[in-house]
Amino acid sequence: MKKNQKTYLLLTVVLAIWGILGFKIVKTANPASDQNIQSVISEKFEPTEFKERDTFSIVANYRDPFLGTLPKSKKPKKPKRATQKKDTLPQREILYTGFIAESASGNEIFFLTIDGHQQLMAKNEVFRKVKLLSGDSVKVKVQFDGKTKTIPLTQ
């Protein structure tokens, strides 16, 4: 074969390959020319159920290869017994619900709820064996049954 014949043969093969590729690109880009269009049927979507992962745990109760000792066994903790105080006196329900202060005279009146009964009390006043010792806008200090207790403001 002569040199020109080889060139023409290779040129024909290259043009044929590029022609096939060009035809496929044009056919894909212009689907309207295709007469055999299939209709798409929509199916109901159902998500697949996932299986729960299988878990495992490693029990390492073998001899330590570096120290040569066995691991210490963990003893279950025993729950502590709740000890009751020997306080025979019943608990008093005392709530501090607010206060009023007069700016001119400096008198302060505190709202206390003692065993379900609301009472207006001033300092050093006694109601149902509960004495109001002191107080401010945040807390009051009361004394009952020989004990002094600080009660915060409840809202």
Side-chain angles (χ1 to χ4, degrees):
M1 282 188 149
K2 292 184 180 178
K3 189 176 181 183
N4 286 339
Q5 287 179 343
K6 287 182 184 177
T7 305
Y8 291 133
L9 178 67
L10 289 174
L11 183 62
T12 309
V13 172
V14 168
L15 287 175
I17 292 173
W18 278 107
I20 292 170
L21 286 174
F23 179 73
K24 287 187 177 184
I25 291 172
V26 169
K27 185 178 177 182
T28 317
N30 192 4
S33 64
D34 214 5
Q35 299 298 328
N36 298 329
I37 298 177
Q38 296 179 351
S39 63
V40 178
I41 300 172
S42 63
E43 296 180 13
K44 186 177 180 183
F45 175 73
E46 294 180 16
T48 58
E49 294 182 14
F50 291 102
K51 293 181 181 177
E52 188 174 328
R53 277 193 175 189
D54 187 23
T55 59
F56 62 92
S57 63
I58 298 174
V59 180
N61 58 353
Y62 49 84
R63 184 181 63 83
D64 186 356
F66 300 106
L67 298 176
T69 60
L70 291 173
K72 296 178 182 177
S73 61
K74 294 182 180 178
K75 297 179 182 178
K77 294 182 180 179
K78 295 180 181 177
K80 295 181 180 179
R81 293 184 184 182
T83 58
Q84 293 181 348
K85 294 182 179 179
K86 296 182 180 181
D87 190 11
T88 57
L89 296 175
Q91 293 291 327
R92 308 281 307 256
E93 181 185 354
I94 303 172
L95 299 173
Y96 172 43
T97 55
F99 86 108
I100 299 173
E102 292 181 22
S103 60
S105 64
N107 291 338
E108 293 178 331
I109 298 175
F110 299 93
F111 296 100
L112 294 175
T113 305
I114 302 170
D115 295 330
H117 298 286
Q118 188 172 14
Q119 182 66 26
L120 302 173
M121 296 178 71
K123 291 181 182 176
N124 297 324
E125 194 172 315
V126 178
F127 177 73
R128 293 189 178 208
K129 299 181 182 177
V130 176
K131 183 177 182 180
L132 179 62
L133 299 175
S134 63
D136 56 19
S137 63
V138 180
K139 64 187 178 305
V140 292
K141 191 179 281 190
V142 294
Q143 180 181 14
F144 61 94
D145 299 330
K147 298 178 186 176
T148 303
K149 187 174 182 182
T150 303
I151 301 170
L153 178 67
T154 57
Q155 297 181 6

